[in-house]
Amino acid sequence: MSIVKSLEGEGFLARVVRGSECRTKSALLREFSNALEFPDYFGGNWDAWWECMTDLDWFPPTRGFVVVITESGEFLSGSTIRDLKIAIEGLVSAIDLWGRGASEADPYREQPPTPLHVIFQESTPASDSIMRRCREVLPINPFRELEIR
């Protein structure tokens, strides 16, 4: 993807998560683990996923992190509304923590604020869009933090 190469050329660490490989919770956990090179101790559950998303210290210092979720209309399309809500709220929370330079996993760790961007690439009909599905399950608009393209 040209966007990934361009971002990496600007000093960002960019990774692609395939929405078509994230239709279920277990598939999402596996796809994120592979794309973001989660450590071997990754527990394969929501808590472990969130801890890894708010840690990422196995990567060298970077200008920022970018996760591009392709085929986002398929993101958790075969899972429960609860899983979709947990995933989106987890991403928004991780974005917030990275932006503040905080870490829930280790609140005493000093790290500079580092942006974490999540880009959902949308190429599906509006009726199947990730934005529409999220608006149905979340009381607030998470897309002030997440970018839809």
Side-chain angles (χ1 to χ4, degrees):
M1 288 183 78
S2 61
I3 189 170
V4 170
K5 289 180 183 173
S6 174
L7 289 164
E8 288 177 343
E10 295 294 321
F12 288 89
L13 186 133
R15 294 293 186 267
V16 173
V17 169
R18 299 167 298 170
S20 62
E21 297 298 319
C22 295
R23 290 186 182 112
T24 65
K25 173 187 171 182
S26 61
L28 177 145
L29 296 172
R30 187 173 40 255
E31 179 70 6
F32 269 81
S33 178
N34 291 336
L36 292 168
E37 303 170 31
F38 288 176
D40 291 338
Y41 59 80
F42 171 60
N45 58 55
W46 282 128
D47 288 338
W49 173 78
W50 186 80
E51 285 179 22
C52 286
M53 290 300 298
T54 60
D55 188 350
L56 301 176
D57 69 355
W58 47 92
F59 290 116
T62 180
R63 184 172 173 196
F65 299 99
V66 180
V67 177
V68 179
I69 301 175
T70 62
E71 306 156 311
S72 65
E74 298 185 49
F75 186 81
L76 289 174
S77 62
S79 195
T80 66
I81 290 172
R82 179 180 180 273
D83 285 338
L84 179 61
K85 184 175 179 181
I86 289 169
I88 298 300
E89 288 177 343
L91 289 171
V92 170
S93 174
I95 290 166
D96 177 59
L97 288 169
W98 275 106
R100 289 189 288 125
S103 171
E104 287 290 318
D106 184 359
Y108 301 104
R109 182 177 74 185
E110 292 183 25
Q111 65 184 33
T114 306
L116 167 63
H117 302 281
V118 177
I119 301 171
F120 283 88
Q121 283 191 321
E122 189 72 76
S123 61
T124 56
S127 62
D128 295 328
S129 78
I130 186 70
M131 183 180 286
R132 182 199 55 78
R133 289 190 294 125
C134 287
R135 284 186 180 145
E136 289 177 1
V137 300
L138 297 169
I140 61 162
N141 179 6
F143 299 105
R144 63 179 167 68
E145 300 290 342
L146 304 174
E147 184 174 344
I148 305 293
R149 289 186 180 213

